[in-house]
Amino acid sequence: MKKIRRALAAPVCHCEVKGLPLTEAISAFGRLLRPPHQVRGPRNDNLFARRIAFIFVFFTASRFLLPASRLRAAPLFSEEGVVLDYLWHAASALPASKRPKVALVLSGGGARGFAYIGALRVLERYGLPVDIVVGTSIGAVIGSLYAGGVPLERLEYISADLGWDKISDFGNASVVGLLLGRNLLSTERLEAYLEKYLRGKSFHELKVKFACVAVDISTGERIVFTEGKVAPAVRASATIPGLFSPVPFRHRYLVDGGLVDNIPVDLARSMGADIVIVLSARSDYTLNPSEGIFRTLTQAIYIQGALLENESLKKADFIIAPDVKSVSAADLSKAKECIAAGVVETESRMGALKEFIVRKFLAFGGPEIYR
């Protein structure tokens, strides 16, 4: 016990986070987390730092007790790992008023967008605070349901159940009519499907602030939805032009927002986001031959959208891009495969994301964080 006490009394560690000594970083987070009525002083901050020092004593001792092979296989046993995990949990526990606003931007991508369900599952498990969700096309569909509080387990069920017949009048008769040029297909069923799970909610009733993007097919103008009923807005954002009838809205005719803004990072910024994390489901078009009308139309839309995506991605703070390049945008049967890809990619990026978020949160604390 005497050795442990001496270790606790000694300087903790000089591992730094963005140039900030560990002791000061921990003490600063202690000040941010502590309720206003509690006394803020050196004694309390020192006690807070000494508590965390005990963790370092434990892990340092573990270095001598465990074989080297076990330590190499367990990155947890490092001072940096302990600090990062501690600061991550402390940061994610901060109230919204004391931290930067975090936005998730979900791009279009058709069936590839099911990968977002897997990504959201990982982000939720790690406790990432989300203040804003913005989406286009399939990103609007998944994003609206997530912002509406639909459990991720339910979203996985929806993805497995979803087929073109569930979200449109896709069938033999309607396809014949499309080929003969009589009429386009309808996405009214998609609106009804969303109404069912969102229970008729408007934007202001969602649990997380949400917005989606569509485009006026007559003028090419980007239309942003932030109010009114959610289901018709999302339906418009996900209506593929040339295949489905445009959605009428206040003397406008709206279609898939991916035509003009497939990754609406600027929209997230305008809604107050300090940190923008993009979930992207880009495709390798050479792996998806455009056979048939349906695939040709979706391929054309996403190729055009890809030309605009690069500029949007440059404005993002962090990007998670699951490997779903080989999945066609029209292949809704690959939902399970896409979800798994979302889980794998997000897990692999969590270490970098945690470090990025911690640095941003520390910087957001202002001068007090450095005292």
Side-chain angles (χ1 to χ4, degrees):
M1 282 303 295
K2 289 182 179 180
K3 291 183 179 180
I4 293 178
R5 285 173 183 168
R6 280 200 298 271
L8 290 175
V12 180
C13 175
H14 294 291
C15 173
E16 297 188 357
V17 179
K18 199 178 181 181
L20 184 66
L22 173 65
T23 307
E24 295 182 26
I26 294 174
S27 297
F29 260 99
R31 289 194 291 274
L32 286 176
L33 288 168
R34 193 176 298 122
H37 66 273
Q38 289 191 11
V39 178
R40 298 186 177 188
R43 181 177 179 183
N44 286 339
D45 288 340
N46 186 49
L47 177 61
F48 197 64
R50 290 177 64 182
R51 285 175 180 172
I52 203 65
F54 182 78
I55 297 176
F56 286 104
V57 172
F58 172 76
F59 282 107
T60 300
S62 301
R63 291 174 185 265
F64 298 98
L65 296 175
L66 292 177
S69 58
R70 287 283 302 278
L71 289 173
R72 282 194 297 270
L76 175 65
F77 286 87
S78 70
E79 294 170 349
E80 292 80 3
V82 175
V83 175
L84 183 59
D85 281 341
Y86 173 79
L87 293 180
W88 165 262
H89 290 298
S92 60
L94 289 171
S97 61
K98 291 185 177 181
R99 59 171 175 76
K101 285 185 172 60
V102 179
L104 293 180
V105 175
L106 283 60
S107 77
R112 294 187 294 272
F114 287 131
Y116 304 152
I117 298 174
L120 290 170
R121 191 167 76 189
V122 175
L123 294 176
E124 189 173 88
R125 187 172 74 247
Y126 277 91
L128 176 74
V130 177
D131 305 289
I132 301 167
V133 176
V134 178
T136 297
S137 197
I138 185 65
V141 174
I142 302 297
S144 65
L145 294 169
Y146 180 72
V150 178
L152 291 173
E153 294 79 8
R154 191 65 173 170
L155 282 180
E156 291 189 38
Y157 166 78
I158 292 172
S159 70
D161 178 60
L162 209 60
W164 288 110
D165 60 324
K166 296 284 182 70
I167 59 177
S168 70
D169 59 347
F170 190 85
N172 292 333
S174 58
V175 171
V176 170
L178 175 66
L179 293 175
L180 294 176
R182 292 175 182 171
N183 54 270
L184 298 173
L185 304 179
S186 170
T187 52
E188 288 182 358
R189 291 183 184 176
L190 172 59
E191 183 175 336
Y193 202 81
L194 291 167
E195 287 281 7
K196 172 184 174 183
Y197 290 102
L198 291 172
R199 300 181 180 180
K201 289 180 181 177
S202 295
F203 279 81
H204 71 275
E205 297 175 302
L206 299 177
K207 292 187 175 182
V208 180
K209 194 175 182 181
F210 173 72
C212 62
V213 176
V215 60
D216 186 334
I217 195 65
S218 301
T219 65
E221 182 183 355
R222 185 182 78 161
I223 305 298
V224 174
F225 287 98
T226 58
E227 58 183 20
K229 291 290 185 180
V230 178
V234 174
R235 172 194 170 192
S237 181
T239 294
I240 302 171
L243 186 63
F244 298 107
S245 298
V247 177
F249 174 76
R250 297 179 184 175
H251 307 294
R252 295 178 181 269
Y253 292 93
L254 308 181
V255 294
D256 197 306
L259 285 173
V260 296
D261 198 357
N262 202 41
I263 307 179
V265 173
D266 287 339
L267 176 55
R269 299 281 187 203
S270 70
M271 295 171 68
D274 300 299
I275 298 173
V276 176
I277 300 170
V278 168
L279 303 185
S280 174
R282 305 187 77 176
S283 172
D284 182 345
Y285 303 108
T286 63
L287 299 177
N288 297 297
S290 52
E291 301 171 349
I293 295 176
F294 202 8
R295 287 197 174 188
T296 300
L297 285 170
T298 55
Q299 188 92 321
I301 290 171
Y302 294 118
I303 288 175
Q304 179 176 337
L307 298 176
L308 304 173
E309 285 181 8
N310 291 332
E311 288 303 313
S312 295
L313 289 173
K314 290 176 184 177
K315 300 174 185 177
D317 294 307
F318 198 89
I319 302 168
I320 297 174
D323 184 8
V324 287
K325 295 182 180 67
S326 62
V327 178
S328 166
D331 195 352
L332 299 182
S333 66
K334 296 289 183 66
K336 188 173 182 180
E337 177 183 324
C338 291
I339 291 173
V343 170
V344 170
E345 179 62 20
T346 309
E347 282 282 6
S348 72
R349 299 281 285 146
M350 276 311 300
L353 179 59
K354 287 161 70 174
E355 182 177 351
F356 173 78
I357 292 292
V358 165
R359 291 179 183 277
K360 283 287 186 179
F361 278 35
L362 283 169
F364 184 82
E368 183 182 16
I369 204 72
Y370 294 99
R371 293 173 187 170

